[in-house]
Amino acid sequence: MSVQDTTDAATGVILSDPAAAKVKALLDQEGRDDLRLRIAVQPGGCSGLRYQLFFDERFLDGDQTYEYGGVEVIVDRMSGPYLGGATIDFVDTIEKQGFTIDNPNAGGSCACGDSFH
């Protein structure tokens, strides 16, 4: 972990090295340097709230910005309290491939793992 990772652990999201590398590779494929990874929490899913990860070129009022491995990560003002201390990782195994979110604020989640409360 870098110094910023440790500092942001209680108040913001943490992007692991494998996740940052995957996001950087996806951004490189897009061929645009104006995109950043936005992580948001929206109503929906089986448990009430669901995560959204997408590329965004916009900055919204109140956005929190973090940087990991050359990747800019943005969290909006409303999602910040739900994501404080959450770690986003990327796994690539024979059983599973994709981004995972370990969120200490989640009281529980559904079987699909896409939503939480």
Side-chain angles (χ1 to χ4, degrees):
M1 291 184 122
S2 72
V3 174
Q4 183 172 0
D5 293 345
T6 306
T7 303
D8 292 339
T11 59
V13 298
I14 300 164
L15 194 65
S16 72
D17 290 341
K22 182 62 176 180
V23 170
K24 184 144 181 50
L26 292 170
L27 285 170
D28 289 345
Q29 285 179 358
E30 289 291 321
R32 292 177 54 186
D33 60 359
D34 63 333
L35 296 175
R36 59 206 54 85
L37 178 66
R38 182 172 291 277
I39 304 170
V41 172
Q42 298 290 322
C46 330
S47 295
L49 297 170
R50 63 187 173 99
Y51 300 109
Q52 288 190 323
L53 281 76
F54 58 96
F55 295 132
D56 197 354
E57 70 275 350
R58 302 169 299 144
F59 279 105
L60 304 174
D61 189 36
D63 277 349
Q64 300 167 345
T65 305
Y66 309 94
E67 187 169 330
Y68 298 98
V71 173
E72 198 170 7
V73 178
I74 298 200
V75 177
D76 66 84
R77 175 181 24 202
M78 299 301 285
S79 299
Y82 295 104
L83 294 169
T87 300
I88 290 77
D89 196 10
F90 184 79
V91 294
D92 189 3
T93 66
I94 196 159
E95 299 168 343
K96 181 177 173 181
Q97 181 185 43
F99 290 96
T100 62
I101 300 175
D102 180 17
N103 188 348
N105 302 303
S109 62
C110 63
C112 68
D114 289 336
S115 67
F116 68 101
H117 64 270

Coordinates of all heavy atoms in Angstrom, one line a residue, residues 23-24 26-38 54-60 63 65 70-74:
V23 N -7.8 -1.3 -14.7 CA -8.5 -0.1 -15.2 C -7.6 0.7 -16.1 O -8.1 1.2 -17.2 CB -8.9 0.8 -13.9 CG1 -9.3 2.2 -14.4 CG2 -9.9 0.1 -13.1
K24 N -6.3 0.7 -15.9 CA -5.4 1.4 -16.8 C -5.4 0.8 -18.1 O -5.4 1.5 -19.2 CB -4.0 1.5 -16.2 CG -3.0 2.3 -17.0 CD -2.0 3.0 -16.1 CE -1.0 3.8 -16.8 NZ -1.6 4.7 -17.8
L26 N -7.8 -1.0 -19.5 CA -9.1 -0.7 -20.2 C -9.1 0.8 -20.7 O -9.6 1.0 -21.8 CB -10.3 -0.9 -19.2 CG -10.5 -2.4 -18.8 CD1 -11.5 -2.4 -17.7 CD2 -11.0 -3.2 -20.0
L27 N -8.6 1.7 -19.9 CA -8.5 3.1 -20.3 C -7.6 3.2 -21.6 O -7.9 4.0 -22.5 CB -8.0 4.0 -19.2 CG -9.1 4.3 -18.1 CD1 -8.4 5.0 -16.9 CD2 -10.2 5.1 -18.6
D28 N -6.5 2.5 -21.6 CA -5.6 2.6 -22.7 C -6.3 2.1 -24.0 O -6.1 2.6 -25.1 CB -4.3 1.7 -22.5 CG -3.4 2.4 -21.4 OD1 -3.6 3.6 -21.2 OD2 -2.5 1.7 -20.9
Q29 N -7.2 1.0 -23.8 CA -7.9 0.5 -25.0 C -8.9 1.5 -25.5 O -9.2 1.6 -26.7 CB -8.7 -0.7 -24.6 CG -7.9 -2.0 -24.4 CD -8.7 -3.2 -24.0 OE1 -9.9 -3.1 -23.8 NE2 -8.1 -4.3 -23.8
E30 N -9.5 2.4 -24.6 CA -10.4 3.4 -25.0 C -9.7 4.5 -25.8 O -10.3 5.2 -26.6 CB -11.1 4.1 -23.8 CG -12.0 3.2 -23.1 CD -13.3 2.9 -23.9 OE1 -13.8 3.8 -24.6 OE2 -13.8 1.8 -23.9
G31 N -8.4 4.7 -25.6 CA -7.6 5.7 -26.3 C -8.0 7.1 -26.0 O -7.7 8.0 -26.8
R32 N -8.5 7.3 -24.8 CA -8.8 8.7 -24.3 C -8.1 8.9 -23.0 O -8.0 8.1 -22.2 CB -10.4 8.8 -24.1 CG -11.1 8.7 -25.4 CD -12.6 8.7 -25.2 NE -13.0 9.9 -24.5 CZ -14.3 10.1 -24.1 NH1 -15.2 9.2 -24.4 NH2 -14.6 11.1 -23.4
D33 N -7.7 10.2 -22.9 CA -7.0 10.5 -21.6 C -7.8 11.4 -20.7 O -7.3 11.9 -19.7 CB -5.6 11.2 -21.9 CG -5.8 12.4 -22.7 OD1 -6.9 12.8 -23.1 OD2 -4.7 13.1 -23.0
D34 N -9.1 11.6 -21.1 CA -10.0 12.4 -20.3 C -11.0 11.6 -19.4 O -11.8 12.2 -18.8 CB -10.8 13.4 -21.2 CG -11.7 12.6 -22.1 OD1 -11.4 11.4 -22.5 OD2 -12.8 13.2 -22.5
L35 N -10.8 10.3 -19.4 CA -11.7 9.4 -18.6 C -11.1 9.1 -17.3 O -9.9 8.9 -17.2 CB -12.0 8.2 -19.4 CG -12.8 8.4 -20.7 CD1 -13.0 7.0 -21.4 CD2 -14.2 9.0 -20.4
R36 N -11.9 8.9 -16.3 CA -11.5 8.4 -15.0 C -12.5 7.4 -14.5 O -13.7 7.3 -15.0 CB -11.4 9.5 -14.0 CG -12.6 10.3 -13.8 CD -12.4 11.8 -13.4 NE -11.5 12.6 -14.2 CZ -11.8 13.2 -15.3 NH1 -13.0 13.2 -15.7 NH2 -10.9 13.9 -15.9
L37 N -12.2 6.6 -13.5 CA -13.1 5.6 -13.0 C -14.0 6.2 -11.9 O -13.5 6.8 -11.0 CB -12.3 4.4 -12.4 CG -13.2 3.3 -11.7 CD1 -14.0 2.6 -12.8 CD2 -12.3 2.3 -11.0
R38 N -15.3 6.1 -12.2 CA -16.3 6.6 -11.2 C -16.9 5.4 -10.5 O -17.3 4.5 -11.1 CB -17.4 7.5 -11.9 CG -18.4 8.0 -10.8 CD -19.3 9.0 -11.4 NE -18.7 10.2 -11.9 CZ -18.5 11.3 -11.0 NH1 -18.8 11.2 -9.8 NH2 -17.9 12.4 -11.5
F54 N -17.9 2.8 -13.6 CA -17.9 3.2 -15.0 C -16.9 4.3 -15.3 O -16.5 5.0 -14.4 CB -19.3 3.6 -15.5 CG -20.0 4.7 -14.7 CD1 -19.9 6.0 -15.2 CD2 -20.6 4.5 -13.5 CE1 -20.5 7.1 -14.5 CE2 -21.2 5.6 -12.8 CZ -21.1 6.8 -13.3
F55 N -16.6 4.5 -16.6 CA -15.7 5.6 -16.9 C -16.5 6.8 -17.1 O -17.6 6.8 -17.7 CB -14.9 5.2 -18.2 CG -14.0 4.1 -18.0 CD1 -13.9 3.0 -19.0 CD2 -13.1 4.0 -17.0 CE1 -13.1 2.0 -18.8 CE2 -12.3 3.0 -16.8 CZ -12.2 2.0 -17.7
D56 N -16.0 7.9 -16.7 CA -16.7 9.2 -16.7 C -15.7 10.3 -17.0 O -14.6 10.3 -16.5 CB -17.4 9.5 -15.4 CG -18.4 10.5 -15.5 OD1 -18.6 11.2 -16.5 OD2 -19.1 10.7 -14.4
E57 N -16.1 11.3 -17.9 CA -15.2 12.4 -18.1 C -15.6 13.6 -17.3 O -15.0 14.6 -17.3 CB -15.2 12.8 -19.6 CG -16.5 13.3 -20.2 CD -17.5 12.3 -20.6 OE1 -17.2 11.1 -20.6 OE2 -18.7 12.6 -20.8
R58 N -16.8 13.5 -16.6 CA -17.3 14.7 -15.9 C -16.7 14.7 -14.5 O -16.4 13.7 -13.9 CB -18.8 14.6 -15.8 CG -19.5 14.5 -17.0 CD -21.0 14.1 -16.8 NE -21.1 12.8 -16.2 CZ -22.0 12.5 -15.2 NH1 -22.9 13.4 -14.9 NH2 -22.0 11.3 -14.7
F59 N -16.7 15.9 -13.9 CA -16.5 16.2 -12.5 C -17.8 16.8 -12.0 O -18.3 17.7 -12.6 CB -15.4 17.2 -12.3 CG -14.0 16.6 -12.3 CD1 -13.2 16.8 -13.4 CD2 -13.5 15.8 -11.3 CE1 -12.0 16.2 -13.5 CE2 -12.3 15.2 -11.4 CZ -11.5 15.4 -12.5
L60 N -18.3 16.3 -10.9 CA -19.5 16.8 -10.3 C -19.2 17.6 -9.0 O -18.2 17.3 -8.4 CB -20.5 15.7 -10.0 CG -20.9 14.8 -11.1 CD1 -21.8 13.7 -10.7 CD2 -21.6 15.6 -12.2
D63 N -17.4 16.0 -5.7 CA -16.7 14.7 -6.0 C -15.4 14.6 -5.1 O -14.7 15.6 -4.9 CB -16.3 14.6 -7.4 CG -17.4 14.2 -8.4 OD1 -18.4 13.7 -7.9 OD2 -17.2 14.2 -9.6
T65 N -11.8 12.8 -5.1 CA -10.8 12.2 -6.1 C -9.7 11.6 -5.5 O -9.1 12.1 -4.5 CB -10.3 13.4 -7.0 OG1 -11.4 14.1 -7.6 CG2 -9.5 12.8 -8.2
G70 N -1.6 5.7 -11.3 CA -1.9 6.4 -12.6 C -3.3 6.5 -13.0 O -3.7 6.9 -14.0
V71 N -4.2 5.9 -12.1 CA -5.7 5.9 -12.4 C -6.4 6.8 -11.5 O -6.2 6.7 -10.3 CB -6.2 4.5 -12.3 CG1 -7.7 4.5 -12.4 CG2 -5.6 3.5 -13.2
E72 N -7.2 7.7 -12.0 CA -7.9 8.6 -11.2 C -9.3 8.0 -10.9 O -10.0 7.5 -11.8 CB -8.1 9.9 -12.0 CG -8.5 11.1 -11.1 CD -8.5 12.4 -11.9 OE1 -8.3 12.4 -13.1 OE2 -8.7 13.4 -11.2
V73 N -9.6 8.0 -9.6 CA -10.9 7.4 -9.1 C -11.7 8.5 -8.5 O -11.2 9.3 -7.8 CB -10.6 6.3 -8.1 CG1 -11.9 5.8 -7.5 CG2 -9.7 5.2 -8.6
I74 N -13.0 8.5 -8.9 CA -13.9 9.6 -8.4 C -15.1 8.9 -7.7 O -15.7 8.0 -8.2 CB -14.4 10.4 -9.6 CG1 -13.2 11.1 -10.2 CG2 -15.5 11.4 -9.2 CD1 -13.4 12.3 -11.0

